[in-house]
Amino acid sequence: MIHALVTVAVVAIARIAERRQTDWPRLHLMGVMVIVATLLMLAHTLEVFVWALAYAIVGAAPAGADLVYFAFVNYTTLGYGDIIPAESWRLMGPMTAMNGILMFGWSTALLFEVLRRSYDHLASIAAPGGFFSSANRGQPTGAGPGARSGAGCCR
């Protein structure tokens, strides 16, 4: 639910950013990406706190354990193993890790989509010959050996 709410916020931010004209397209792109990445990191941190709360409610960790640390280690699949869950709750760690992997994948997809859309928008409003113009995107035009080999695809 947290990630879904943040996704809606990120999409709204990306749409607002698309409507803005800018004289500084690189700064604009960096600003959008920093805002999106920050929101996603906050979402992940909040999700870890929810897992820590769940651990506290069910008593999944030994007494005196740092539940936020334990949740972070599981969520990020770091797996130090220095805190061992209570026997009856052993599967909560892998469930937390599975959730973390899914949420990081979701975040990666969202970041990539915002980057792609922002780049496409900036290319659509770019001055000819500018950094974001389609002439500088290095896409093969069709015929010739470069089109099939991929030569010049990533300038």
Side-chain angles (χ1 to χ4, degrees), residues 48 51 55 60-61 66-85 89-101 104:
V48 167
W51 275 107
Y55 292 167
D66 183 350
L67 295 178
V68 174
Y69 167 77
F70 184 46
F72 252 116
V73 166
N74 284 320
Y75 187 84
T76 60
T77 69
L78 194 55
Y80 280 142
D82 53 344
I83 301 175
I84 307 297
W89 293 103
R90 280 191 311 195
L91 290 178
M92 272 190 91
M95 286 173 48
T96 307
M98 180 176 60
N99 179 250
I101 290 169
F104 285 123

Side-chain angles (χ1 to χ4, degrees), residues 2 8 11-12 20 22 33 50 52 57 61 63 67 69 78 80 84 87-88 105 107 123 128 134 142 145 147:
I2 294 167
V8 170
V11 168
R20 294 190 134 193
T22 181
M33 296 310 294
V50 169
I57 289 170
L67 295 178
Y69 167 77
L78 194 55
Y80 280 142
I84 307 297
E87 183 74 23
S88 58
S107 293
S134 58

Side-chain angles (χ1 to χ4, degrees), residues 12-119:
I13 289 167
R15 286 186 177 154
I16 290 167
E18 279 182 4
R19 290 189 218 123
R20 294 190 134 193
Q21 297 295 328
T22 181
D23 293 330
W24 306 95
R26 291 179 187 183
L27 281 176
H28 179 81
L29 180 60
M30 286 189 294
V32 169
M33 296 310 294
V34 166
I35 290 168
V36 169
T38 301
L39 283 173
L40 289 169
M41 287 182 65
L42 289 172
H44 286 290
T45 302
L46 184 56
E47 290 159 359
V48 167
F49 278 100
V50 169
W51 275 107
L53 179 63
Y55 292 167
I57 289 170
V58 301
D66 183 350
L67 295 178
V68 174
Y69 167 77
F70 184 46
F72 252 116
V73 166
N74 284 320
Y75 187 84
T76 60
T77 69
L78 194 55
Y80 280 142
D82 53 344
I83 301 175
I84 307 297
E87 183 74 23
S88 58
W89 293 103
R90 280 191 311 195
L91 290 178
M92 272 190 91
M95 286 173 48
T96 307
M98 180 176 60
N99 179 250
I101 290 169
L102 289 170
M103 295 303 102
F104 285 123
W106 184 342
S107 293
T108 302
L110 188 57
L111 273 168
F112 183 79
E113 182 61 16
V114 168
L115 177 62
R116 188 191 63 77
R117 287 180 62 127
S118 296
Y119 193 89

